[in-house]
Amino acid sequence: MKSIGALWACFILVLGVCVYLLFFKNEKIAYVESTRIFQEYEGAKVEREKIEARGREFKLKIDTLNREVREAIIRYDGSADNKTKQIIQIKQKQLDDYQRSVQETLQSEESAAMTKVASELNAFLKEYGKRNNYKFIFIANPSGTIAYAADGTNLTEDVLREINKK
């Protein structure tokens, strides 16, 4: 009877050691710095450059329209003609509406681009974590989501090196 109890005790002890070794001993947990990832990831840089180019393109159009409205105002300044004043007001409103539309378009495009970049980064981090046996990879942001991390747990450099190779 004592040998069966001892056998059960050994079995439970071995099972406990196996569970510990499988699930707890080699837990790898790390983090990446979100600000650096978004600033230094080449895919994000490309998307930002596209948005900036579109912004410059729109700015040229807006500058041209602004100049046309100013020239019309100067040309017809002092004109008592109500029709001319109405035309200038209509042109000014069209310009204002166009500027607002451009801002909304650029904001929408920027949001879509950053969503795309975030999706790419999340997919890469998931693949990277699986490939390197991480249980968790946290995202640290400037607002302080990680109060303390041991040396060697910041993967930002490694992740940037690998993702920018692609």
Side-chain angles (χ1 to χ4, degrees):
M1 196 68 150
K2 286 185 181 181
S3 63
I4 292 177
L7 196 57
W8 271 107
C10 283
F11 175 73
I12 290 173
L13 180 63
V14 168
L15 183 63
V17 169
C18 287
V19 166
Y20 172 76
L21 290 174
L22 285 173
F23 297 107
F24 300 109
K25 185 168 189 308
N26 291 324
E27 284 188 7
K28 289 173 71 176
I29 298 173
Y31 72 96
V32 293
E33 300 169 36
S34 65
T35 303
R36 280 198 54 212
I37 292 286
F38 272 96
Q39 286 175 348
E40 298 176 31
Y41 169 44
E42 292 300 323
K45 289 179 183 179
V46 167
E47 292 300 323
R48 276 193 304 276
E49 288 169 4
K50 286 179 188 177
I51 298 297
E52 288 170 4
R54 291 273 290 155
R56 287 189 299 273
E57 184 181 309
F58 282 131
K59 185 178 181 329
L60 287 174
K61 290 178 184 177
I62 289 171
D63 289 348
T64 299
L65 292 172
N66 253 328
R67 187 173 45 255
E68 289 174 3
V69 169
R70 279 195 316 269
E71 288 171 0
I73 291 170
I74 291 169
R75 198 172 324 125
Y76 299 110
D77 191 34
S79 172
D81 186 2
N82 280 338
K83 181 118 175 125
T84 303
K85 289 179 183 178
Q86 286 177 340
I87 291 172
I88 291 172
Q89 287 173 344
I90 289 170
K91 289 287 184 191
Q92 186 66 49
K93 183 176 178 347
Q94 288 173 337
L95 175 61
D96 293 343
D97 291 345
Y98 181 71
Q99 286 177 315
R100 201 170 11 269
S101 172
V102 164
Q103 279 183 319
E104 289 171 3
T105 299
L106 285 175
Q107 286 173 344
S108 175
E109 288 178 9
E110 183 177 20
S111 177
M114 290 303 108
T115 297
K116 175 186 169 199
V117 167
S119 179
E120 290 171 3
L121 288 169
N122 286 336
F124 178 81
L125 287 171
K126 184 175 181 178
E127 179 268 327
Y128 181 93
K130 285 181 180 179
R131 185 169 24 94
N132 291 291
N133 300 314
Y134 281 93
K135 292 275 185 186
F136 295 97
I137 297 178
F138 293 101
I139 304 290
N141 63 44
S143 65
T145 54
I146 295 179
Y148 168 78
D151 291 342
T153 57
N154 185 344
L155 299 176
T156 306
E157 285 296 326
D158 294 336
V159 167
L160 282 169
R161 195 174 310 109
E162 274 195 45
I163 198 167
N164 285 333
K165 282 181 187 176
K166 292 186 172 190

